[in-house]
Amino acid sequence: MSNSRIISFPGLDSRYGADRPPVGRDANAAAVLIVGRSQINRVVVGKIVERSGLRPQSVAPEDAAGKLAEMEPRLVILDGGADNRDCEALMVRLVDQRRVSDKSYPRVILLSNRTGTPTGITLGSPVDAVVAKPITPESLQPVVDRLLPRAS
């Protein structure tokens, strides 16, 4: 008997097809783009999103437009920063992408320092939900699960 051991990674187990990432048109069904200036916040949000069976990628606001076009994610989580305006430049692109999507994707969550609907979120805004900071699994994960069913 050999000493080799099989290491399995969720989403990459090709031996049995288990947890294999979707292919074709559904390849982005589990894709989540996290946008924010704070690397720490992006990591925390990414770990929470992974609990829902989704695959997060995170970028700074200045790199988000290119990544959005490349990924075509089903969910975008925006960290609004101190004044909820850190990701403002991305809003037009999100509206455009939703307009051409047959199911109004991507869904958008804004992480806000304020409770309630922040100023600047108007009718026609791509924001589907606002989650107040500090971000915890108990506050964010139910919103993610409501906007996107588990990717399994």
Side-chain angles (χ1 to χ4, degrees):
M1 181 166 209
S2 104
N3 268 347
S4 67
R5 60 184 181 148
I6 297 173
I7 300 173
S8 176
F9 295 98
L12 298 176
D13 192 350
S14 60
R15 292 178 307 127
Y16 304 108
D19 294 326
R20 184 178 294 178
V23 294
R25 190 163 176 143
D26 294 330
N28 295 326
V32 177
L33 180 61
I34 302 165
V35 182
R37 294 205 187 286
S38 168
Q39 176 69 27
I40 293 169
N41 286 353
R42 293 192 322 241
V43 169
V44 168
V45 170
K47 293 296 182 188
I48 294 169
V49 166
E50 286 175 344
R51 294 170 113 189
S52 294
L54 302 169
R55 291 186 301 259
Q57 289 189 31
S58 67
V59 295
E62 49 275 0
D63 301 323
K67 195 61 147 173
L68 180 66
E70 175 189 319
M71 282 180 64
E72 295 182 2
R74 293 288 177 102
L75 178 66
V76 176
I77 301 175
L78 306 173
D79 183 349
D83 61 358
N84 290 324
R85 302 187 93 141
D86 281 3
C87 300
E88 198 170 66
L90 194 58
M91 294 296 186
V92 171
R93 290 187 187 264
L94 288 167
V95 169
D96 289 344
Q97 191 162 343
R98 284 178 80 153
R99 189 175 298 129
V100 299
S101 169
D102 58 342
K103 295 186 179 181
S104 294
Y105 287 116
R107 302 283 192 245
V108 180
I109 298 172
L110 176 67
L111 307 178
S112 174
N113 282 330
R114 302 179 189 108
T115 57
T117 303
T119 56
I121 304 299
T122 60
L123 189 62
S125 167
V127 176
D128 296 297
V130 178
V131 176
K133 294 178 188 176
I135 301 303
T136 63
E138 294 78 19
S139 66
L140 181 59
Q141 191 168 356
V143 178
V144 170
D145 290 342
R146 179 175 50 86
L147 290 177
L148 278 184
R150 287 189 186 272
S152 54

